[in-house]
Amino acid sequence: MKTTVIQFGTSRFLQAHADLFLSEGVPARTITVVQTSGDADRSRRLAALAAPEGYPVRIRGLQDGRTVDETRTVTSVRRCLSASTDWQQVMRVFVEEAEFVLSNTGDAGFQSRPEDGESAYHPAMSFPAKLYHLLAARHAVGAAPIVVMPMELVADNGAVLKGAVLAVARRHGADRALVSYIEDRVVWASSLVDRIVSEPIEPAGAVAEPYALWAIEKGPGVVAPCAHPAILLVDDLKEIERLKLHILNLGHTVLVDLWRRQGGGGDPVVRDFIARAEVMAALEAIYRDEVLPVFAHLGQGEAAERYRAVTLERFANPCLDHRLADIAQNHAQKVERRIGAFLDLARNAGYGRPQPRLAAIAGRDDQYQVHAAQRQT
């Protein structure tokens, strides 16, 4: 068995997104999935992911005005390994089989850890440090370069991951040949992913909305792993990225903030939470007064309004139980990337109007007040 794709991460998002597309695409791809977290609950799903009969993904919601409720079977996952207990096998697959590397290691996945400086592999290393050791092993035997496609929700994620791996290489005193291999021969592709995956199916699988996007930015050596309607090669990710990160993802984080300010009680799903008049009014006010005007300032006003309307329809999907408690995971990092970064974007673009609600959520009230005072003077 040879798997041409090695994937770091076992999330239900990956199960209903990339793994499904690679199962349905042309050519269909086979995947080795690597669990990076060491979480016992997630390790129990590994065998089910690679079951010969596959696992289900149920697609539910509205698409082009019609109701969709169908189940698809994913058969792309052929092998599951743990970075904690199967590292030698992970290295073998990476060196001998893989042509593409996929990752979705969570909002904190790229952050360095103390173990990154250790000369030998340690399971607690960050993903960039793990990837450095794997690329070093591939380079040592003269294997062909590989295409790395991170799927973390980080702007320009290919370049960011490349920079993080090179930082580990410098920390380890890697020789010039290895640094050149990582810097110039490995293909680092930036991509953006978009699909709401609301709940798991046990022991493996997930429920997801019909909408799906995997946008990959064109560049030297960048190729899509397969042809699929949801996979797009695009000239520039920035406009798509801004819409997704600062309308849909920002909206989710605003809803979590509203829920927490109300005490964080119960276990509400998005569609029921926005059905509360005061919640929808607050969300609409932020979109109207503090988000859409920034996009208009950036020349994306019409696109942003269309995407806002699609986003609210997706939030109201009657078929998905998208829980706020799930969205609230890694909330601090999400606030900074989705809201703090948007405030920075607006300021750096010369946008001069106040954004007090977003500033309050991001904990930048003092900064907002300083800027407001500067504008008054």
Side-chain angles (χ1 to χ4, degrees):
M1 178 176 59
K2 179 179 179 180
T3 55
T4 55
V5 178
I6 186 166
Q7 171 185 300
F8 294 87
T10 64
S11 68
R12 67 176 184 245
F13 173 82
L14 287 170
Q15 294 173 47
H17 191 272
D19 298 346
L20 174 61
F21 305 159
L22 295 179
S23 180
E24 296 176 335
V26 180
R29 293 283 185 175
T30 52
I31 307 169
T32 290
V33 168
V34 181
Q35 183 202 17
T36 60
S37 68
D39 182 275
D41 289 335
R42 293 191 175 190
S43 67
R44 284 192 285 270
R45 80 172 60 134
L46 293 182
L49 284 173
E53 66 274 16
Y55 65 81
V57 171
R58 189 175 181 186
I59 309 298
R60 304 187 71 203
L62 297 174
Q63 186 175 43
D64 299 328
R66 65 184 181 89
T67 300
V68 175
D69 190 345
E70 60 190 33
T71 299
R72 302 177 188 175
T73 301
V74 177
T75 57
S76 54
V77 179
R78 301 295 177 83
R79 181 194 292 122
C80 290
L81 303 171
S82 166
S84 298
T85 59
D86 305 313
W87 185 248
Q88 292 303 314
Q89 178 73 332
V90 171
M91 290 185 67
R92 188 201 66 75
V93 173
F94 190 95
V95 170
E96 298 178 5
E97 299 183 14
E99 298 172 14
F100 295 88
V101 180
L102 307 183
S103 71
N104 194 318
T105 56
D107 287 86
F110 290 177
Q111 294 178 5
S112 62
R113 298 177 184 171
E115 294 82 2
D116 291 356
E118 297 190 15
S119 58
Y121 168 76
H122 192 289
M125 286 177 168
S126 69
F127 174 63
K130 291 183 173 80
L131 187 55
Y132 163 74
H133 283 277
L134 293 168
L135 289 171
R138 192 176 175 96
H139 174 257
V141 301
I146 196 165
V147 180
V148 181
M149 291 184 169
M151 304 171 75
E152 288 81 0
L153 295 178
V154 175
D156 206 9
N157 50 20
V160 171
L161 181 56
K162 176 181 179 180
V165 173
L166 286 170
V168 175
R170 290 191 292 270
R171 187 172 179 179
H172 283 262
D175 60 44
R176 182 58 203 164
L178 176 55
V179 172
S180 178
Y181 173 80
I182 295 170
E183 190 166 21
D184 302 321
R185 299 193 63 203
V186 173
V187 177
W188 302 90
S190 291
S191 67
L192 180 144
V193 296
D194 192 359
R195 168 167 258 179
I196 296 173
V197 181
S198 62
E199 58 184 303
I201 295 174
E202 297 298 339
V207 179
E209 65 174 339
Y211 183 94
L213 174 66
W214 183 3
I216 303 167
E217 190 166 77
K218 296 176 182 177
V222 174
V223 293
C226 66
H228 187 277
I231 302 176
L232 302 179
L233 284 171
V234 300
D235 293 322
D236 190 348
L237 279 178
K238 289 184 178 60
E239 291 191 359
I240 301 173
E241 195 169 59
R242 285 174 179 169
L243 292 171
K244 198 261 182 178
L245 188 61
H246 300 314
I247 295 181
L248 184 137
N249 295 136
L250 178 147
H252 275 150
T253 299
V254 166
L255 292 176
V256 169
D257 180 78
L258 290 169
W259 175 51
R260 287 186 165 191
R261 289 174 188 266
Q262 293 178 7
D267 186 22
V269 297
V270 169
R271 67 169 183 272
D272 293 337
F273 194 60
I274 65 170
R276 302 178 189 178
E278 73 280 6
V279 170
M280 179 57 84
L283 179 62
E284 286 275 29
I286 287 176
Y287 278 145
R288 181 187 65 245
D289 300 334
E290 302 188 24
V291 174
L292 294 182
V294 176
F295 278 99
H297 180 79
L298 296 169
Q300 288 184 261
E302 292 185 6
E305 178 54 46
R306 289 194 300 270
Y307 193 81
R308 181 203 66 85
V310 170
T311 293
L312 291 177
E313 182 178 57
R314 293 169 69 187
F315 284 180
N317 185 336
C319 301
L320 293 186
D321 293 329
H322 198 190
R323 288 177 166 77
L324 289 175
D326 290 339
I327 300 170
Q329 295 178 18
N330 301 308
H331 182 63
Q333 293 97 328
K334 290 176 179 177
V335 166
E336 185 54 34
R337 288 179 181 168
R338 300 171 177 186
I339 296 177
F342 186 64
L343 295 170
D344 293 339
L345 172 67
R347 186 180 70 251
N348 293 336
Y351 179 76
R353 293 173 59 184
Q355 296 168 276
R357 300 179 186 89
L358 292 179
I361 296 172
R364 298 190 182 186
D365 302 74
D366 294 342
Q367 176 182 314
Y368 163 71
Q369 291 169 6
V370 169
H371 291 157
Q374 290 173 343
R375 285 192 296 269
Q376 291 174 0
T377 58

